[in-house]
Amino acid sequence: MKYLKFLLVGIFFGIVLVKSEVVSWYRIYEMFRFQSIHMYGIIGTAIISGIVFLQISKRGYIKNIEGAEIYVPKKENGLIKNIVGGSIFGLGWALMGACPGPMYILVGTGVYSMLIVIAAAILGTFIYGLLKDKLPH
Amino acid sequence: MEHLLNPWPWYVSGPLIALVMALLLYFGKTFGMSSNLQTFCTMAGAGKFSNFFKMNWKEQSWNLIVVAGAIIGGFIATQYLSNDSITELNPTTIKELNSMGFSNSGSTLVPNEMYGTEAINSTKGLLLLIVGGLLVGFGTRYAGGCTSGHAITGLSSLQKPSLIAVIGFFIGGLLMANFILPLIF
């Protein structure tokens, strides 16, 4: 029962990303070619809505389910890891036309070859874990 | 009903994605899809090889449930909430892709030229999927997040590391779409 809400959020997330065409390889290509406002509009309005939500909650108007303050984990600083890691991710995002969320969702839409990409992404994460201490951050 | 079945406009979709983030934060969790890749490694026993994977994956099971839901959501959206409308791409995009060998752009979610049976049975096609997956998996953990964690959650909470990471996402994405992809196809 305690997991039902997460299942429902996941279902909602999957539906939204399909209906908004965020899972479309073509929409990602179009975005990186600056040929449409579609993806910029989605990411932009998502961030603006997110900022509004977090600013309201920061002022104490919204608490979490346990009545505590809404907590957003702090991202780690580090110019190299964010720029280099981000660029490597960007290369893969534009090639596959999918970031991790859409990868799972596309399997649900029937793109079963995406399972190969997911397996490779898990392997990529594993390789990062092996090399972590040797990489500049 | 027709509005529901047609593709949703960006100004509806964006706030709904923020709602997903808000709901997860309300439930005391956080919006980050790539973390699951790390969890899968841990479940497969990667903790034997690196401390990076030494964690109690059961604490992350809520996020695996979100993934399961996302897959179901993808199924529901395509089976029950769609008509036959195709993605309305910029005609320039379609023409460009056509000249690179991509036909019927927008009629499917992903190009058959990359994800279809014929493509994945070719060495080049299979290699592309593997290389793309490796880049996403490696890059996202190196940067400490993906689109959900950095671009949506990180930027919504005005965090500088996320701004740098998203700039990185665009450096890589622009390089791929504008320079590398035309070399591959």
Side-chain angles (χ1 to χ4, degrees), chain A residues 19, chain B residues 1-8 77 80-85:
Chain A
K19 294 311 298 174
Chain B
M1 196 61 194
E2 208 186 314
H3 285 298
L4 199 66
L5 296 181
N6 281 330
W8 298 352
Y80 305 110
L81 294 173
S82 293
N83 46 28
D84 291 331
S85 57

Side-chain angles (χ1 to χ4, degrees), chain A residues 22-77:
Chain A
V22 170
V23 299
S24 164
W25 182 93
Y26 305 96
R27 284 293 191 198
I28 305 303
Y29 175 83
E30 201 184 37
M31 165 177 77
F32 285 126
R33 293 284 292 141
F34 297 111
Q35 287 165 343
S36 172
I37 190 176
H38 188 83
M39 286 300 304
Y40 294 99
I42 290 178
I43 298 173
T45 51
I47 293 169
I48 292 167
S49 314
I51 291 174
V52 171
F53 170 76
L54 288 172
Q55 289 300 316
I56 294 172
S57 61
K58 210 169 130 185
R59 283 163 180 73
Y61 295 109
I62 304 170
K63 302 272 188 224
N64 74 13
I65 198 165
E66 281 151 4
E69 211 170 299
I70 296 275
Y71 172 73
V72 183
K74 292 279 162 289
K75 289 290 184 189
E76 276 173 56
N77 272 313

Side-chain angles (χ1 to χ4, degrees), chain B residues 89-111:
Chain B
L89 300 163
N90 184 333
T92 315
T93 310
I94 296 175
K95 210 188 292 171
E96 236 176 59
L97 286 169
N98 204 33
S99 72
M100 281 161 61
F102 291 91
S103 55
N104 303 321
S105 291
S107 60
T108 50
L109 291 172
V110 296

Side-chain angles (χ1 to χ4, degrees), chain B residues 107-127:
Chain B
S107 60
T108 50
L109 291 172
V110 296
N112 273 324
E113 289 82 355
M114 284 183 78
Y115 289 94
T117 318
E118 201 182 319
I120 64 167
N121 280 322
S122 72
T123 313
K124 181 186 165 187
L126 187 61
L127 262 177

